[in-house]
Amino acid sequence: MNPITLTIDLEDPTENYAPNGRYVTMARQTLDLCDALRCRATFFTVGRVAIAAPNLVKEIAGHGHEIAYHSHAHVALTEENPVRFRRECRADKFGLEQLAGKPVLGFRAPRFSLMPQTAWALDTLREAGFRYSSSIMPTGLSLYGFPNAPRAPFLWPNGLIELPLPVGELGPLRVPYLGGIYLYALPGFATRWFLGRATPREVLWTYAHPYDFDTQESFAPMPHTPPWISLALWLARRQARPKIERILANGSAPPLGERVLEPGFAKDLAIYPAQAKSV
Ligand SMILES: [Zn+2]
């Protein structure tokens, strides 16, 4: 089976970026979980977190995890202003690098909102110096998605590497199965079935949020999210920790930034045109 990298999207679902917000407590608990799993993860960090809680970012980097970028304020690219995005990308990348003490190589679009109509962001990311993106769902089953994009890593025409969300095939459908609500909701045998069918070329990664592990917090609707999705995410929280522990029980792969820097990784990747007529 392909090894799996743990990725953490570090944002506050309530958008309350207080220096000692609940996201800080939960991020620290996530660090403890990583230690228990002997796992080094990639933390896709929102710029507002770095500004509000710089010591948290230093702490995460100090544990040996990769710091990557998850936009300034967790606005989906479909709602984003390209000029503001460019300015914030540069400033936040610089700020995160100061805190992490190393280059920030990776970007993940909020809600995996890199789609054919938001492909304008690719050149901004490349110009800002990002090496890879982990921003697409290669499926038509999601509100956001790049339905016909490859399932294995590929290059955008400007040389940026894309590491797509892992999806499994069920007849004509491509089904996300390895992260977030998909992982928490699917029965374990289905996850194992899809994992057993992953091709060697795929880079497998799972994703979770620190708040996914917060089973103590009472329900509150999330901003910009339909109420039933908020409720489903909240109800799924009790599954988060056991599911993550189970899929990483036999070890985990290094952070994504280390995987893309492995010798020869980018050499054989196919180029996929950003403006694909896939919708
Ligand atoms: Zn996010």
Side-chain angles (χ1 to χ4, degrees):
M1 192 182 85
N2 300 4
I4 301 168
T5 294
L6 173 63
T7 73
I8 300 292
D9 290 358
L10 179 51
E11 73 225 25
D12 186 323
T14 63
E15 299 183 346
N16 175 19
Y17 290 99
N20 286 311
R22 203 168 176 102
Y23 68 96
V24 178
T25 308
M26 292 317 302
R28 294 214 164 100
Q29 288 190 23
T30 306
L31 287 178
D32 292 343
L33 174 63
C34 291
D35 285 350
L37 292 167
R38 292 199 186 86
C39 162
R40 287 187 306 115
T42 299
F43 279 70
F44 289 95
T45 306
V46 161
R48 289 187 64 187
V49 167
I51 292 166
N55 287 336
L56 175 65
V57 179
K58 286 185 187 170
E59 207 175 316
I60 294 168
H63 273 72
H65 302 294
E66 177 191 10
I67 300 295
Y69 184 46
H70 195 35
S71 85
H72 182 69
H74 209 262
V75 174
L77 292 176
T78 44
E79 311 293 319
E80 190 57 274
N81 171 321
V83 175
R84 184 181 62 193
F85 180 73
R86 184 166 188 256
R87 189 176 62 236
E88 291 174 344
C89 259
R90 287 169 178 242
D92 286 335
K93 185 171 184 289
F94 180 78
L96 286 169
E97 287 173 345
Q98 300 308 302
L99 296 170
K102 32 172 91 164
V104 166
L105 303 177
F107 170 80
R108 173 169 294 160
R111 300 165 196 270
F112 302 109
S113 57
L114 182 55
M115 312 158 71
Q117 57 268 46
T118 55
W120 54 262
L122 292 169
D123 283 344
T124 305
L125 294 169
R126 193 67 174 136
E127 282 163 24
F130 288 101
R131 190 73 177 264
Y132 76 91
S133 155
S134 176
S135 302
I136 69 159
M137 300 181 87
T139 173
L141 286 184
S142 166
L143 181 60
Y144 302 101
F146 226 119
N148 298 323
R151 296 165 59 195
F154 62 87
L155 293 176
W156 296 109
N158 66 9
L160 187 71
I161 297 168
E162 183 66 43
L163 304 173
L165 177 87
V167 292
E169 286 183 340
L170 198 61
L173 300 178
R174 285 176 161 193
V175 184
Y177 67 97
L178 200 52
I181 185 76
Y182 308 102
L183 173 69
Y184 310 151
L186 274 180
F189 72 84
T191 309
R192 287 192 295 277
W193 192 82
F194 283 128
L195 275 174
R197 280 153 187 79
T199 64
R201 294 183 70 86
E202 287 180 59
V203 165
L204 296 183
W205 48 265
T206 182
Y207 72 93
H209 308 87
Y211 64 82
D212 293 351
F213 305 117
D214 192 347
T215 50
Q216 306 299 314
E217 192 175 41
S218 48
F219 175 70
M222 293 162 70
H224 319 296
T225 308
W228 69 271
I229 293 183
S230 283
L231 184 63
L233 289 170
W234 182 76
L235 288 171
R237 286 182 181 190
R238 69 195 70 170
Q239 292 294 325
R241 187 177 176 120
K243 289 281 178 83
I244 292 285
E245 285 175 338
R246 208 166 304 149
I247 60 166
L248 299 179
N250 296 321
S252 55
L256 297 180
E258 292 180 24
R259 298 183 74 176
V260 302
L261 290 180
E262 281 166 10
F265 180 88
K267 195 166 60 77
D268 297 328
L269 299 183
I271 296 175
Y272 182 71
Q275 302 299 339
K277 299 278 183 286
S278 52
V279 288

